[in-house]
Amino acid sequence: MMQPALILVVDDDPTNFDVIETLLDGQDYRLLYVNSGDGAIAALEHLEPDLILLDVMMPGLNGLEVCRRIKAMPTGATIPIIMVTALCEKRDLADGFSAGANDFISKPINRIELLARVRSMLQLREQYKQLQGFNTRLEATVQMRTAQLQALSIKLLEAQETERRFLAHELHDEIGQALTAIKINLRRLERVTTPQASEPLEDCLALVDGTLQQVRNISLDLRPSMLDDLGLVPTLRWYINRHAKRTGLQTTLTCELLAQRLPIATETACFRIVQEALTNIARHAQAQMVAVTLTQTDHTLHLTIQDDGVGFDQSNLSRAKGTSLGILGMEERGTLIGGQLNIASAPGQGTRIALQVPLATSV
Ligand SMILES: Nc1ncnc2c1ncn2[C@@H]1O[C@H](COP(=O)(O)OP(=O)(O)OP(=O)(O)O)[C@@H](O)[C@H]1O
Ligand SMILES: [Mg+2]
């Protein structure tokens, strides 16, 4: 059952309350009276009326000030206020509206006018409540969908890593071994071949060598097996060296970890974040130096990747257009292991990517 609307009447003169009570007699409203601005503000600490009828001229806090204060309160901001006033200059009305009043009624109060204004303000209140209800339901739906999407993201990333691990293994072990066997056989043939066949044979050997190297590289790029076998620090050391050799960037790695191994999801996320950050640096930063640090303090893991390159204006990130996914992916990976990724960058000032992960909760 919906309760009748609650109207708070604020007036220093009780006779005015009696007048309002009489005029609203027979209507399905609950009326509450306070005789000062302070009283009104105190009343709003523990109840939420649907409408306030507020006298303007009162000793102590005047109506305008009370209105301003009520509108600044979290619950008060959405309660309609009708100013009850003997002043009817345009200037007084303007002052009232700028203090946050929603409507005015002039003294002496006319019954029909009062009923119409009260009804219209209560409708406003009702619409606000409905909107609030929609909003609450919408927020709950968004929260549920976000949780579902995160669960899906975790599953997708896990599936992607499993697939990459499998492909890297197949390439390295199966195809790599087959190519090595071909190479051995070619070498044996080399010893017994005719002079005419030796040139194409050399050609084949060179091709096999090149393909073996390619297969190894693809396999390592997909997922270095040392991430599973040896852990994050040796893998980062190897990856950063390889990246530095390829790009000519001066790169340092500083690791101060307390634990030998971290949860596998954390190790994978950190590795992928470093991989994307270094790829971005090579592609966009025009940097000379890169510093990667991995440290641990009080159950928190800190990973930073800092470059001295051209930097970028973060407000220009075109992630909304869906064209750049790298940074979005880094943030997503950080969030999914319970961490937070912050990017600090500005044109001409390099870029710093910092990930913090609470270790106790990241499993
Ligand atoms: N270290 C960096 N230095 C300078 N600019 C950077 C750096 N990292 C990112 N950026 C800028 O931020 C943009 C977004 O990076 P993001 O990794 O999301 O996308 P991308 O590298 O353009 O594409 P991809 O989706 O293939 O990663 C880049 O296009 C680049 O302009
Ligand atoms: Mg990128």
Side-chain angles (χ1 to χ4, degrees):
M1 265 282 286
M2 271 232 323
Q3 276 210 318
L6 177 64
I7 302 177
L8 178 68
V9 183
V10 189
D11 202 310
D12 57 308
D13 182 355
T15 333
N16 287 336
F17 174 69
D18 293 341
V19 170
I20 290 173
E21 194 176 30
T22 312
L23 294 176
L24 293 180
D25 189 34
Q27 304 298 313
D28 195 15
Y29 301 138
R30 290 174 296 149
L31 293 185
L32 193 79
Y33 171 63
V34 289
N35 64 0
S36 69
D38 285 321
I41 288 163
L44 292 185
E45 299 287 336
H46 53 90
L47 55 85
E48 196 177 332
D50 297 297
L51 172 65
I52 300 173
L53 291 174
L54 179 61
D55 185 27
V56 176
M57 306 281 267
M58 289 189 291
L61 283 183
N62 72 34
L64 289 180
E65 186 52 32
V66 178
C67 186
R68 228 171 264 124
R69 292 196 191 182
I70 291 175
K71 290 292 176 178
M73 296 168 79
T75 46
T78 57
I79 303 172
I81 295 181
I82 301 179
M83 299 292 243
V84 184
T85 177
L87 310 168
C88 42
E89 288 291 319
K90 292 236 176 343
R91 176 86 238 144
D92 301 322
L93 297 187
D95 287 348
F97 280 124
S98 67
N102 300 82
D103 203 356
F104 280 87
I105 188 153
S106 51
K107 288 181 186 171
I109 302 173
N110 171 284
R111 181 169 186 269
I112 295 178
E113 188 186 354
L114 177 69
L115 286 180
R117 291 194 189 277
V118 164
R119 225 170 268 144
S120 122
M121 284 299 120
L122 285 175
Q123 260 172 13
L124 193 74
R125 175 74 176 161
E126 191 48 41
Q127 281 165 357
Y128 169 76
K129 279 184 170 170
Q130 278 180 6
L131 217 60
Q132 212 178 22
F134 285 141
N135 206 26
T136 310
R137 285 199 292 279
L138 208 64
E139 270 170 19
T141 311
V142 168
Q143 256 181 23
M144 191 186 73
R145 292 269 187 272
T146 307
Q148 286 174 340
L149 276 175
Q150 284 206 337
L152 195 66
S153 269
I154 291 178
K155 276 212 170 342
L156 272 175
L157 284 176
E158 278 172 2
Q160 189 192 48
E161 290 298 334
T162 307
E163 192 73 0
R164 283 181 172 191
R165 196 184 279 121
F166 171 77
L167 282 174
H169 186 269
E170 283 291 291
L171 275 173
H172 186 268
D173 290 14
E174 304 298 325
I175 303 196
Q177 275 170 22
L179 285 169
T180 308
I182 293 173
K183 192 174 156 184
I184 292 167
N185 285 342
L186 287 174
R187 285 247 180 269
R188 282 166 66 190
L189 280 176
E190 214 179 10
R191 276 183 246 127
V192 295
T193 193
T194 58
Q196 297 97 305
S198 78
E199 199 184 316
L201 210 60
E202 280 306 314
D203 223 31
C204 286
L205 267 166
L207 264 175
V208 170
D209 269 342
T211 311
L212 250 176
Q213 198 50 48
Q214 275 179 344
V215 163
R216 276 199 200 111
N217 281 340
I218 295 172
S219 164
L220 285 169
D221 284 334
L222 276 169
R223 183 174 168 105
S225 60
M226 70 169 80
L227 188 56
D228 295 308
D229 303 338
L230 304 177
L232 181 60
V233 176
T235 310
L236 282 182
R237 196 160 284 135
W238 159 79
Y239 186 80
I240 285 169
N241 276 336
R242 179 172 179 250
H243 188 265
K245 272 190 205 129
R246 283 181 170 179
T247 59
L249 280 164
Q250 201 180 318
T251 313
T252 57
L253 172 67
T254 313
C255 291
E256 283 164 24
L257 286 189
L258 304 177
Q260 277 276 314
R261 293 295 302 256
L262 300 166
I264 188 71
T266 306
E267 292 198 324
T268 301
C270 288
F271 177 69
R272 294 296 181 205
I273 288 171
V274 171
Q275 213 177 12
E276 174 60 28
L278 292 182
T279 305
N280 274 353
I281 292 169
R283 277 173 68 189
H284 312 292
Q286 299 163 41
Q288 309 283 317
M289 287 193 300
V290 185
V292 180
T293 64
L294 190 66
T295 55
Q296 196 179 337
T297 53
D298 292 341
H299 306 294
T300 306
L301 181 75
H302 304 264
L303 169 70
T304 63
I305 306 115
Q306 166 114 43
D307 71 65
D308 64 349
V310 293
F312 64 102
D313 183 351
Q314 292 180 69
S315 57
N316 285 346
L317 270 186
S318 52
R319 64 178 80 168
K321 294 177 200 151
T323 48
S324 293
L325 296 176
I327 288 179
L328 207 64
M330 284 197 261
E331 286 170 344
E332 178 79 349
R333 282 188 186 273
T335 309
L336 293 180
I337 54 165
Q340 205 190 338
L341 187 110
N342 292 306
I343 300 173
S345 188
Q349 292 177 30
T351 300
R352 180 186 160 88
I353 291 173
L355 172 75
Q356 292 201 10
V357 190
L359 281 176
T361 54
S362 60
V363 184

